[in-house]
Amino acid sequence: MNLKQHIDHPLFAIIGEEAAAMGVQAFAIGGFVRDLILDRPVVDVDVVCDGDGITLAQRCAARVGSPKVSIFKTFGTAHFAYDGFDWEFVGARKESYSKDSRNPVVSAGTLEDDQKRRDFTMNALAISLQASNFGEVIDPFNGLNAIAKGEIKTPLDPDITYSDDPLRMMRAVRFASQLNFVLDNESLEAISRNAHRIKIITQERITVEINKIIESSRPSVGFKLMFKTGLLELVFPEMHRLQGVEIRDGLAHKDNFYHTLEVLDNVAENSDDLWLRWAAIMHDIAKPPTKRFQKGLGWTFHGHEDKGSRMVPRIFKRMRLPMDTKMKFVQKLVLLHLRPIALTKETITDSAVRRLVFEAGEDIEALMILCRADITSKNERKVKRYLANYEKVLERIEIVEESDRVRNFQPPVTGEEIMEKFGIGPCREIGTLKQQIKEAILDGKIPNEHQAAWEYTLEIAKEMGLRLREI
Ligand code: CTP
């Protein structure tokens, strides 16, 4: 295969010329070649040469207006940004690994040595930048075939590739999820055998891969593979615990792992928001620790939304996920996830809808996406009924929102106004008054307007023994 047409940026030919002038050969390699073939967007170009990569980078930069070259002597790499791409240069390497580190001992090698040390055959493809065969794909491990078949395979014995650098196990699963590829059997088995080695990888790197799985169009693919290979139990035990069905007195509950994955895929179809997807993962996370069997009634998971929301900070902290507003958002959605449908259990009252909108605030749309995604059942009649209920709640939210605007609730009567009109300083009564006004609005006793709220304030203030200031 020749990809001359696809590497039409003039810098590719310049790299070839400079390499020739140095008496070495240069190749585009790795993820860049893979993504070019898969027609995915590329921003990083990796170049390898069988000589000094740093000198090659400096010479090429000098040819295109001298962009600043950053050099990493320890790794023998150099890169510069040019024309919207990040160009990264390295000398071809041979690597040997020790048991307890993913950082190899590196020595100079040939192109083939360099291709061999890479994680997957699809990532070991190289494109020649030499004038004599410019654009030719060098594919010693049949990477093109793996791409055509949608397969993830390792160039060497998979036990070596995964054990050398256990992060590759997460990468394998992540690529399968991102590209909708399959892991070949040998990889599946080798990952299962080597899963325990994931412990030498830092949490930050593992989390990067988990987030990439979650951001893929069908994240369930990655999570099922993590489950199957034993990685999930090691990196996310709470999620692993969701799996399983228990039957007592002939009564079964659903498998909460597969249910969670269905919810996650459903959310992924409707939103790219990583944190909303995390909320889907966490929504039933406390089902195992809250599970009870009640004779004659069956399985219950009382309070799982509350316990689940309290589990979120611990899990986020351990996973090195942000502990800021994103965590709070996930917590809030987990806590509220049952509310929209629960509303329909009795007749839907406006005040219940108003309270929900008040509590969800800006996140009401996200909550409704999660709630919609959570309607999964094999029983079609049940699904139909829930969906009809869901639509009703959506409608009522819109109506209540339009008339009462409680989403970003601002008290229509402020503390300052109360102090001024009643001639009092800061005191407990002001808080009580404001609380009662808010409750009255949420209950629908009074509209969310200043005039009505002020009249109501006068009424309760009188009961509290407050008198208007005489002017
Ligand atoms: N690589 C590897 N083992 C790793 C990480 C990377 O062998 N643990 C090799 C692969 O050949 C990979 C290349 O280094 O293609 C570049 O790595 P990187 O930029 O991290 O990943 P990409 O494959 O480009 O993909 P992505 O950017 O999606 O992570």
Side-chain angles (χ1 to χ4, degrees), residues 30-31 34 46 118-119 123 165 168 171 174-175 212:
R34 176 200 68 224
D46 284 326
R118 290 179 181 264
D119 50 4
N123 287 346
D165 176 0
R168 291 170 170 169
R171 280 173 59 89
R174 181 260 287 193
F175 279 121
K212 286 185 180 178

Side-chain angles (χ1 to χ4, degrees), residues 114-384:
D114 197 278
Q115 285 173 298
K116 248 193 247 172
R117 72 174 180 90
R118 290 179 181 264
D119 50 4
F120 308 118
T121 60
M122 65 177 180
N123 287 346
L125 291 160
I127 299 177
S128 168
L129 302 179
Q130 282 49 252
S132 57
N133 62 347
F134 189 81
E136 193 178 305
V137 177
I138 296 146
D139 179 18
F141 304 107
N142 244 337
L144 287 173
N145 187 260
I147 291 181
K149 285 167 63 180
E151 253 184 1
I152 294 170
K153 285 163 109 63
T154 56
L156 302 177
D157 174 350
D159 276 313
I160 295 175
T161 302
Y162 293 120
S163 174
D164 273 353
D165 176 0
L167 180 65
R168 291 170 170 169
M169 302 190 284
M170 290 300 299
R171 280 173 59 89
V173 170
R174 181 260 287 193
F175 279 121
S177 204
Q178 254 181 351
L179 305 175
N180 215 355
F181 276 24
V182 295
L183 289 181
D184 75 338
N185 270 336
E186 284 175 36
S187 262
L188 259 182
E189 285 165 17
I191 295 177
S192 310
R193 272 194 299 273
N194 290 284
H196 64 280
R197 298 224 354 109
I198 200 70
K199 64 176 181 289
I200 67 164
I201 303 296
T202 62
Q203 184 61 50
E204 285 78 357
R205 284 183 190 277
I206 295 172
T207 298
V208 165
E209 299 301 328
I210 294 180
N211 278 344
K212 286 185 180 178
I213 292 171
I214 299 173
E215 280 172 330
S216 56
S217 57
R218 254 185 348 119
S220 62
V221 174
F223 281 103
K224 281 181 189 161
L225 283 171
M226 279 172 71
F227 181 78
K228 202 168 166 181
T229 52
L231 285 168
L232 190 69
E233 192 169 6
L234 296 165
V235 304
F236 197 171
E238 295 88 347
M239 190 176 185
H240 181 265
R241 249 170 255 143
L242 288 171
Q243 198 274 332
V245 175
E246 211 175 320
I247 307 172
R248 230 187 263 181
D249 298 350
L251 295 167
H253 61 77
K254 56 172 136 179
D255 184 313
N256 289 305
F257 176 62
Y258 292 102
H259 163 69
T260 294
L261 292 185
E262 244 182 288
V263 178
L264 176 59
D265 280 354
N266 289 344
V267 166
E269 270 180 33
N270 291 293
S271 168
D272 290 334
D273 182 350
L274 174 64
W275 307 108
L276 179 49
R277 294 180 182 200
W278 262 108
I281 292 171
M282 302 284 217
H283 82 286
D284 279 348
I285 203 76
K287 275 200 166 172
T290 55
K291 184 165 100 171
R292 302 278 176 277
F293 185 80
Q294 283 183 298
K295 268 238 162 294
L297 259 179
W299 297 100
T300 64
F301 303 91
H302 288 311
H304 75 273
E305 69 286 13
D306 182 53
K307 190 172 177 63
S309 82
R310 281 185 283 118
M311 284 168 75
V312 171
R314 243 185 303 141
I315 293 174
F316 264 49
K317 191 159 180 231
R318 193 186 70 227
M319 295 254 190
R320 306 278 193 275
L321 287 163
M323 296 297 288
D324 56 10
T325 49
K326 286 149 191 132
M327 188 276 285
K328 294 258 176 234
F329 166 81
V330 174
Q331 243 192 331
K332 186 201 244 179
L333 260 65
V334 173
L335 183 66
L336 297 178
H337 81 271
L338 295 173
R339 291 274 294 278
I341 289 294
L343 273 185
T344 64
K345 291 269 158 71
E346 298 117 43
T347 39
I348 315 172
T349 63
D350 279 355
S351 67
V353 173
R354 220 176 278 116
R355 278 184 188 276
L356 177 65
V357 177
F358 171 73
E359 281 172 56
E362 269 312 313
D363 302 318
I364 186 72
E365 273 93 13
L367 177 67
M368 293 311 282
I369 293 177
L370 175 60
C371 174
R372 170 74 184 78
D374 197 12
I375 302 175
T376 72
S377 166
K378 293 209 171 59
N379 180 338
E380 273 184 37
R381 282 212 344 259
K382 244 189 192 172
V383 170
K384 246 191 177 155

Side-chain angles (χ1 to χ4, degrees), residues 23-37:
V24 299
Q25 297 199 312
F27 306 85
I29 196 158
F32 165 77
V33 183
R34 176 200 68 224
D35 287 341
L36 199 68
I37 293 167

